[in-house]
Short mmCIF file of all heavy atoms in Angstrom, two decimals:
data_model
loop_
_atom_site.label_atom_id
_atom_site.label_comp_id
_atom_site.label_asym_id
_atom_site.label_seq_id
_atom_site.Cartn_x
_atom_site.Cartn_y
_atom_site.Cartn_z
N THR A 97 44.79 5.45 11.49
CA THR A 97 45.08 6.88 11.26
C THR A 97 46.50 7.06 10.75
O THR A 97 46.74 7.76 9.77
CB THR A 97 44.85 7.70 12.55
OG1 THR A 97 43.48 7.59 12.93
CG2 THR A 97 45.22 9.15 12.35
N MET A 98 47.45 6.41 11.43
CA MET A 98 48.84 6.52 10.98
C MET A 98 48.99 5.98 9.56
O MET A 98 49.67 6.59 8.73
CB MET A 98 49.79 5.81 11.94
CG MET A 98 51.25 5.91 11.49
SD MET A 98 52.43 5.13 12.60
CE MET A 98 52.63 6.43 13.82
N MET A 99 48.37 4.85 9.28
CA MET A 99 48.50 4.26 7.95
C MET A 99 47.90 5.15 6.86
O MET A 99 48.42 5.20 5.74
CB MET A 99 47.87 2.86 7.92
CG MET A 99 48.59 1.83 8.78
SD MET A 99 50.37 1.69 8.48
CE MET A 99 50.39 1.08 6.80
N GLN A 100 46.85 5.88 7.18
CA GLN A 100 46.27 6.81 6.20
C GLN A 100 47.27 7.90 5.85
O GLN A 100 47.42 8.25 4.68
CB GLN A 100 44.97 7.42 6.75
CG GLN A 100 43.83 6.44 6.79
CD GLN A 100 42.63 6.94 7.57
OE1 GLN A 100 42.71 7.90 8.34
NE2 GLN A 100 41.49 6.28 7.40
N TYR A 101 47.95 8.43 6.84
CA TYR A 101 48.98 9.44 6.58
C TYR A 101 50.15 8.85 5.80
O TYR A 101 50.68 9.48 4.88
CB TYR A 101 49.48 10.06 7.89
CG TYR A 101 48.55 11.10 8.47
CD1 TYR A 101 47.72 10.79 9.52
CD2 TYR A 101 48.52 12.39 7.96
CE1 TYR A 101 46.86 11.74 10.06
CE2 TYR A 101 47.67 13.35 8.49
CZ TYR A 101 46.84 13.01 9.55
OH TYR A 101 46.01 13.96 10.06
N ILE A 102 50.56 7.66 6.16
CA ILE A 102 51.67 7.00 5.47
C ILE A 102 51.33 6.80 4.00
O ILE A 102 52.16 7.02 3.12
CB ILE A 102 52.02 5.67 6.17
CG1 ILE A 102 52.71 5.96 7.52
CG2 ILE A 102 52.90 4.79 5.29
CD1 ILE A 102 52.90 4.74 8.40
N GLN A 103 50.09 6.40 3.71
CA GLN A 103 49.68 6.21 2.32
C GLN A 103 49.70 7.51 1.53
O GLN A 103 49.81 7.50 0.31
CB GLN A 103 48.29 5.57 2.27
CG GLN A 103 48.31 4.12 2.69
CD GLN A 103 46.92 3.51 2.82
OE1 GLN A 103 45.91 4.19 2.71
NE2 GLN A 103 46.88 2.21 3.05
N GLN A 104 49.62 8.64 2.23
CA GLN A 104 49.72 9.95 1.59
C GLN A 104 51.17 10.42 1.49
O GLN A 104 51.44 11.54 1.06
CB GLN A 104 48.91 10.99 2.37
CG GLN A 104 47.44 10.72 2.42
CD GLN A 104 46.71 11.64 3.40
OE1 GLN A 104 47.23 12.68 3.80
NE2 GLN A 104 45.52 11.26 3.78
N GLY A 105 52.10 9.58 1.92
CA GLY A 105 53.52 9.92 1.86
C GLY A 105 53.99 10.81 2.99
O GLY A 105 55.05 11.43 2.89
N LYS A 106 53.23 10.89 4.06
CA LYS A 106 53.58 11.77 5.19
C LYS A 106 54.21 10.97 6.32
O LYS A 106 53.94 9.79 6.51
CB LYS A 106 52.34 12.49 5.69
CG LYS A 106 51.73 13.41 4.64
CD LYS A 106 50.50 14.09 5.17
CE LYS A 106 49.93 15.00 4.07
NZ LYS A 106 48.69 15.63 4.49
N THR A 107 55.05 11.65 7.07
CA THR A 107 55.65 11.08 8.28
C THR A 107 54.96 11.72 9.47
O THR A 107 54.97 12.95 9.60
CB THR A 107 57.16 11.34 8.33
OG1 THR A 107 57.76 10.72 7.19
CG2 THR A 107 57.78 10.78 9.60
N VAL A 108 54.34 10.91 10.31
CA VAL A 108 53.61 11.41 11.46
C VAL A 108 53.98 10.60 12.70
O VAL A 108 54.60 9.54 12.59
CB VAL A 108 52.08 11.34 11.23
CG1 VAL A 108 51.66 12.23 10.07
CG2 VAL A 108 51.62 9.91 11.01
N ASN A 109 53.59 11.12 13.85
CA ASN A 109 53.90 10.45 15.10
C ASN A 109 52.67 10.37 15.99
O ASN A 109 51.80 11.24 15.94
CB ASN A 109 55.02 11.19 15.83
CG ASN A 109 56.29 11.22 15.01
OD1 ASN A 109 56.82 10.18 14.66
ND2 ASN A 109 56.76 12.40 14.68
N VAL A 110 52.63 9.32 16.80
CA VAL A 110 51.57 9.12 17.78
C VAL A 110 52.25 8.91 19.13
O VAL A 110 53.22 8.17 19.24
CB VAL A 110 50.70 7.89 17.43
CG1 VAL A 110 49.72 7.59 18.55
CG2 VAL A 110 49.97 8.12 16.11
N ILE A 111 51.73 9.58 20.14
CA ILE A 111 52.27 9.45 21.49
C ILE A 111 51.26 8.66 22.32
O ILE A 111 50.08 8.99 22.36
CB ILE A 111 52.53 10.83 22.12
CG1 ILE A 111 53.57 11.57 21.30
CG2 ILE A 111 52.95 10.68 23.58
CD1 ILE A 111 53.81 12.99 21.74
N CYS A 112 51.76 7.64 23.00
CA CYS A 112 50.93 6.81 23.88
C CYS A 112 51.45 6.98 25.30
O CYS A 112 52.62 6.70 25.57
CB CYS A 112 51.00 5.34 23.47
SG CYS A 112 50.51 5.03 21.76
N ILE A 113 50.58 7.45 26.19
CA ILE A 113 50.98 7.72 27.57
C ILE A 113 50.10 6.88 28.48
O ILE A 113 48.89 6.85 28.35
CB ILE A 113 50.80 9.21 27.92
CG1 ILE A 113 51.66 10.06 26.98
CG2 ILE A 113 51.16 9.47 29.38
CD1 ILE A 113 51.43 11.55 27.11
N ARG A 114 50.77 6.20 29.39
CA ARG A 114 50.04 5.39 30.38
C ARG A 114 50.37 5.91 31.75
O ARG A 114 51.44 6.42 32.00
CB ARG A 114 50.45 3.92 30.26
CG ARG A 114 49.58 3.02 31.16
CD ARG A 114 49.77 1.59 30.82
NE ARG A 114 49.10 0.52 31.47
CZ ARG A 114 48.26 0.49 32.46
NH1 ARG A 114 47.90 1.56 33.05
NH2 ARG A 114 47.75 -0.63 32.92
N GLU A 115 49.43 5.76 32.64
CA GLU A 115 49.57 6.26 34.00
C GLU A 115 50.90 5.85 34.64
O GLU A 115 51.57 6.66 35.25
CB GLU A 115 48.40 5.73 34.83
CG GLU A 115 48.47 6.04 36.28
CD GLU A 115 47.30 5.42 37.03
OE1 GLU A 115 46.76 4.40 36.57
OE2 GLU A 115 46.96 5.97 38.07
N ASN A 116 51.28 4.60 34.48
CA ASN A 116 52.48 4.09 35.12
C ASN A 116 53.38 3.45 34.07
O ASN A 116 52.97 2.52 33.39
CB ASN A 116 52.08 3.07 36.19
CG ASN A 116 53.23 2.72 37.10
OD1 ASN A 116 54.36 2.62 36.65
ND2 ASN A 116 52.94 2.52 38.36
N GLN A 117 54.59 3.94 33.96
CA GLN A 117 55.53 3.44 32.96
C GLN A 117 55.79 1.95 33.09
O GLN A 117 56.02 1.26 32.11
CB GLN A 117 56.84 4.21 33.05
CG GLN A 117 57.83 3.81 31.99
CD GLN A 117 59.05 4.71 31.97
OE1 GLN A 117 59.14 5.67 32.71
NE2 GLN A 117 60.00 4.38 31.13
N GLN A 118 55.70 1.44 34.29
CA GLN A 118 56.00 0.03 34.56
C GLN A 118 55.13 -0.90 33.72
O GLN A 118 55.54 -2.00 33.37
CB GLN A 118 55.79 -0.24 36.04
CG GLN A 118 55.96 -1.68 36.45
CD GLN A 118 55.69 -1.86 37.94
OE1 GLN A 118 55.54 -0.91 38.69
NE2 GLN A 118 55.64 -3.11 38.37
N TYR A 119 53.92 -0.46 33.35
CA TYR A 119 52.99 -1.32 32.64
C TYR A 119 52.87 -1.00 31.15
O TYR A 119 52.00 -1.56 30.47
CB TYR A 119 51.60 -1.25 33.29
CG TYR A 119 51.64 -1.62 34.75
CD1 TYR A 119 51.43 -0.66 35.73
CD2 TYR A 119 51.92 -2.92 35.15
CE1 TYR A 119 51.48 -0.99 37.08
CE2 TYR A 119 51.98 -3.26 36.49
CZ TYR A 119 51.75 -2.28 37.45
OH TYR A 119 51.80 -2.62 38.77
N LEU A 120 53.70 -0.13 30.62
CA LEU A 120 53.61 0.26 29.21
C LEU A 120 53.69 -0.92 28.26
O LEU A 120 52.88 -1.05 27.35
CB LEU A 120 54.74 1.24 28.85
CG LEU A 120 54.53 2.70 29.18
CD1 LEU A 120 55.81 3.48 28.93
CD2 LEU A 120 53.38 3.28 28.40
N ARG A 121 54.69 -1.75 28.45
CA ARG A 121 54.91 -2.86 27.50
C ARG A 121 53.76 -3.86 27.51
O ARG A 121 53.35 -4.36 26.47
CB ARG A 121 56.23 -3.56 27.81
CG ARG A 121 56.60 -4.57 26.75
CD ARG A 121 57.98 -5.09 26.96
NE ARG A 121 58.37 -5.99 25.88
CZ ARG A 121 59.52 -6.62 25.84
NH1 ARG A 121 60.40 -6.43 26.78
NH2 ARG A 121 59.79 -7.42 24.84
N ASP A 122 53.23 -4.14 28.68
CA ASP A 122 52.15 -5.12 28.79
C ASP A 122 50.79 -4.55 28.41
O ASP A 122 49.82 -5.29 28.34
CB ASP A 122 52.08 -5.68 30.22
CG ASP A 122 53.28 -6.53 30.55
OD1 ASP A 122 53.90 -7.08 29.62
OD2 ASP A 122 53.60 -6.65 31.75
N SER A 123 50.71 -3.26 28.20
CA SER A 123 49.41 -2.67 27.90
C SER A 123 49.43 -1.97 26.54
O SER A 123 49.22 -2.62 25.52
CB SER A 123 48.98 -1.71 29.02
OG SER A 123 49.92 -0.66 29.14
N VAL A 124 49.67 -0.67 26.50
CA VAL A 124 49.51 0.09 25.26
C VAL A 124 50.48 -0.35 24.16
O VAL A 124 50.11 -0.38 22.99
CB VAL A 124 49.59 1.61 25.50
CG1 VAL A 124 48.39 2.10 26.29
CG2 VAL A 124 50.87 2.01 26.20
N TYR A 125 51.69 -0.69 24.52
CA TYR A 125 52.67 -1.14 23.52
C TYR A 125 52.17 -2.42 22.83
O TYR A 125 52.10 -2.51 21.61
CB TYR A 125 54.02 -1.37 24.20
CG TYR A 125 55.16 -1.77 23.29
CD1 TYR A 125 55.85 -0.81 22.55
CD2 TYR A 125 55.56 -3.09 23.19
CE1 TYR A 125 56.90 -1.17 21.73
CE2 TYR A 125 56.62 -3.46 22.38
CZ TYR A 125 57.29 -2.49 21.65
OH TYR A 125 58.34 -2.86 20.83
N ASN A 126 51.80 -3.42 23.64
CA ASN A 126 51.30 -4.67 23.07
C ASN A 126 49.97 -4.47 22.36
O ASN A 126 49.66 -5.18 21.40
CB ASN A 126 51.17 -5.75 24.15
CG ASN A 126 52.50 -6.39 24.46
OD1 ASN A 126 53.44 -6.33 23.67
ND2 ASN A 126 52.61 -6.98 25.63
N GLN A 127 49.18 -3.50 22.81
CA GLN A 127 47.90 -3.24 22.17
C GLN A 127 48.10 -2.68 20.76
O GLN A 127 47.40 -3.05 19.82
CB GLN A 127 47.09 -2.25 23.02
CG GLN A 127 45.65 -2.16 22.62
CD GLN A 127 44.88 -3.44 22.88
OE1 GLN A 127 44.85 -3.95 23.99
NE2 GLN A 127 44.26 -3.98 21.85
N ILE A 128 49.09 -1.81 20.58
CA ILE A 128 49.41 -1.28 19.24
C ILE A 128 49.92 -2.42 18.35
O ILE A 128 49.53 -2.52 17.19
CB ILE A 128 50.43 -0.12 19.31
CG1 ILE A 128 49.82 1.09 20.05
CG2 ILE A 128 50.92 0.26 17.92
CD1 ILE A 128 48.67 1.77 19.33
N LEU A 129 50.77 -3.28 18.89
CA LEU A 129 51.24 -4.43 18.12
C LEU A 129 50.08 -5.34 17.70
O LEU A 129 50.03 -5.83 16.58
CB LEU A 129 52.26 -5.24 18.93
CG LEU A 129 53.59 -4.56 19.23
CD1 LEU A 129 54.45 -5.44 20.13
CD2 LEU A 129 54.33 -4.20 17.95
N TRP A 130 49.13 -5.53 18.60
CA TRP A 130 47.95 -6.33 18.30
C TRP A 130 47.16 -5.71 17.14
O TRP A 130 46.76 -6.41 16.20
CB TRP A 130 47.06 -6.45 19.54
CG TRP A 130 45.72 -7.04 19.27
CD1 TRP A 130 45.39 -8.37 19.22
CD2 TRP A 130 44.52 -6.34 18.97
NE1 TRP A 130 44.06 -8.52 18.92
CE2 TRP A 130 43.50 -7.29 18.76
CE3 TRP A 130 44.20 -4.97 18.86
CZ2 TRP A 130 42.19 -6.93 18.45
CZ3 TRP A 130 42.90 -4.62 18.55
CH2 TRP A 130 41.91 -5.59 18.34
N ALA A 131 46.95 -4.40 17.20
CA ALA A 131 46.19 -3.72 16.13
C ALA A 131 46.92 -3.83 14.80
O ALA A 131 46.28 -4.05 13.75
CB ALA A 131 45.97 -2.25 16.50
N MET A 132 48.23 -3.71 14.81
CA MET A 132 49.00 -3.86 13.58
C MET A 132 48.85 -5.26 13.00
O MET A 132 48.75 -5.44 11.79
CB MET A 132 50.48 -3.55 13.83
CG MET A 132 50.74 -2.11 14.09
SD MET A 132 52.48 -1.83 14.49
CE MET A 132 52.50 -0.06 14.54
N ASP A 133 48.80 -6.24 13.88
CA ASP A 133 48.61 -7.62 13.44
C ASP A 133 47.22 -7.80 12.83
O ASP A 133 47.08 -8.41 11.76
CB ASP A 133 48.82 -8.57 14.62
CG ASP A 133 48.92 -10.02 14.20
OD1 ASP A 133 49.64 -10.29 13.21
OD2 ASP A 133 48.28 -10.86 14.84
N ILE A 134 46.20 -7.29 13.48
CA ILE A 134 44.82 -7.38 12.96
C ILE A 134 44.73 -6.72 11.58
O ILE A 134 44.05 -7.20 10.68
CB ILE A 134 43.82 -6.70 13.94
CG1 ILE A 134 43.70 -7.50 15.22
CG2 ILE A 134 42.45 -6.48 13.29
CD1 ILE A 134 43.03 -8.85 15.08
#
């Protein structure tokens, strides 16, 4: 979704919220990095 907007020349933001901040890096943050890699 973000890449589709970027290809249109738009600047957009996505917010990722996890129940507990302590696990952000090991979960949603790394998951977004994984998707970018794929």
Side-chain angles (χ1 to χ4, degrees):
T97 298
M98 180 178 277
M99 294 308 295
Q100 288 169 344
Y101 282 102
I102 288 170
Q103 288 173 353
Q104 297 170 17
K106 297 180 180 176
T107 299
V108 297
N109 299 301
V110 173
I111 298 174
C112 303
I113 301 173
R114 187 167 181 358
E115 174 183 26
N116 192 323
Q117 183 172 356
Q118 176 181 352
Y119 303 110
L120 277 172
R121 188 171 184 182
D122 292 335
S123 61
V124 292
Y125 183 81
N126 280 339
Q127 193 66 56
I128 295 293
L129 293 176
W130 170 85
M132 290 176 174
D133 192 45
I134 291 292

